[in-house]
């Protein structure tokens, strides 16, 4: 289980690597059930999690109380609200599991201790934050695209998303109705 995280760190950060014993010392395996929440809006993000197996969605509540999906998380992804986790402030997002999911979790204190202990882990974390910022900007720039283009890009990025995520959640992410998504699926996406 720890090997997946170690491999992810090595793939993203050149250097000496990190010892499995160190990872086991700072991370705790946890299993969550389908529909269970990892994080709720308004609560402080006490854990960050690396997805070993499973899938989740990030969503926000609109002023009308409607759930609006803002992203999905799959294997080899990190979950949690970075701002809430680092600053220990209330989260602006919810994270709910769409499948039974196994994570390696780390507390904010352990995360800070590991950053101070390991230059290599600090470099890895900084690289992931940079990638995350870039992905956020790309997601925002995509909002001006047509629903058809946003759907095509989603399928290119996550080829198996339709087998793992409900059409209702995909439609919410694309900011269209489930009926409009059904019409898109029937048309040829090119």
């Amino acid at each position: 289980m720890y090997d997946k995280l170690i491999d992810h760190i090595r793939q993203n950060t050149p250097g000496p690597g990190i010892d499995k014993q160190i990872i086991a010392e700072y991370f705790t395996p946890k299993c969550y059930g389908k529909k269970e929440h990892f994080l709720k809006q308004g609560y402080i993000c006490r854990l960050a999690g690396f997805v070993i197996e499973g899938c989740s969605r990030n969503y926000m509540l609109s002023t009308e109380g409607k759930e609006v999906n803002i992203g999905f998380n799959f294997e080899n992804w990190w979950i949690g609200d970075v701002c809430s986790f680092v600053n220990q402030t209330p989260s602006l997002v919810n994270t709910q599991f769409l499948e039974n999911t196994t994570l390696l979790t780390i507390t904010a204190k352990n995360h800070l201790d590991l950053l101070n202990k390991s230059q290599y882990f600090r470099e890895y974390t900084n690289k992931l934050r940079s990638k995350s910022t870039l992905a956020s900007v790309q997601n925002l720039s995509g909002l001006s695209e047509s629903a058809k283009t946003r759907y095509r890009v989603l399928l290119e990025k996550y080829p198996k998303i339709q087998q793992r995520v409900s059409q209702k959640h995909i439609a919410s992410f694309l900011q269209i109705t489930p009926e409009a998504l059904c019409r898109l699926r029937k048309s040829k996406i090119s």
Side-chain angles (χ1 to χ4, degrees):
M1 178 179 304
Y2 295 106
D3 291 333
K4 283 192 174 188
L5 176 54
I6 291 167
D7 289 345
H8 192 263
I9 293 170
R10 284 187 185 132
Q11 290 169 4
N12 284 281
T13 311
I18 193 162
D19 188 58
K20 188 174 185 175
Q21 186 176 348
I22 291 173
I23 294 295
E25 179 183 338
Y26 287 91
F27 286 85
T28 304
K30 290 196 178 199
C31 296
Y32 295 87
K34 182 178 180 177
K35 295 189 179 183
E36 204 173 333
H37 277 82
F38 179 75
L39 180 61
K40 288 191 176 181
Q41 195 170 337
Y43 289 85
I44 295 173
C45 183
R46 305 272 183 213
L47 298 172
F50 180 78
V51 183
I52 299 298
E53 184 177 17
C55 172
S56 64
R57 70 181 177 119
N58 296 327
Y59 69 94
M60 298 176 88
L61 295 175
S62 70
T63 53
E64 298 84 31
K66 182 180 173 187
E67 294 178 1
V68 179
N69 289 317
I70 57 172
F72 303 101
N73 311 294
F74 301 97
E75 289 81 6
N76 296 319
W77 284 50
W78 283 91
I79 65 171
D81 180 333
V82 174
C83 290
S84 175
F85 183 71
V86 170
N87 299 313
Q88 292 295 282
T89 55
S91 176
L92 300 175
V93 300
N94 300 280
T95 302
Q96 182 185 41
F97 297 105
L98 301 175
E99 300 173 348
N100 292 335
T101 300
T102 303
L103 303 177
L104 287 177
T105 62
I106 188 168
T107 65
K109 181 190 179 315
N110 278 356
H111 187 262
L112 186 59
D113 290 347
L114 185 53
L115 289 174
N116 289 329
K117 182 176 186 172
S118 172
Q119 171 69 27
Y120 186 70
F121 188 76
R122 190 167 45 254
E123 289 173 19
Y124 165 73
T125 301
N126 288 338
K127 186 165 186 178
L128 288 185
R129 285 187 184 153
S130 296
K131 283 182 172 184
S132 176
T133 300
L134 177 61
S136 294
V137 170
Q138 289 172 335
N139 285 343
L140 287 174
S141 66
L143 292 176
S144 61
E145 299 291 341
S146 70
K148 184 175 184 176
T149 300
R150 291 193 314 270
Y151 184 55
R152 181 182 47 76
V153 169
L154 182 71
L155 292 178
E156 287 170 1
K157 192 172 180 182
Y158 311 109
K160 297 186 180 191
I161 194 167
Q162 293 182 92
Q163 288 82 39
R164 300 183 74 183
V165 176
S166 74
Q167 297 307 299
K168 176 182 96 172
H169 291 314
I170 292 172
S172 171
F173 177 76
L174 295 171
Q175 298 182 13
I176 60 176
T177 64
E179 295 78 17
L181 177 59
C182 186
R183 287 190 296 274
L184 275 178
R185 290 184 70 202
K186 288 179 182 175
S187 72
K188 290 195 174 192
I189 302 294
S190 55

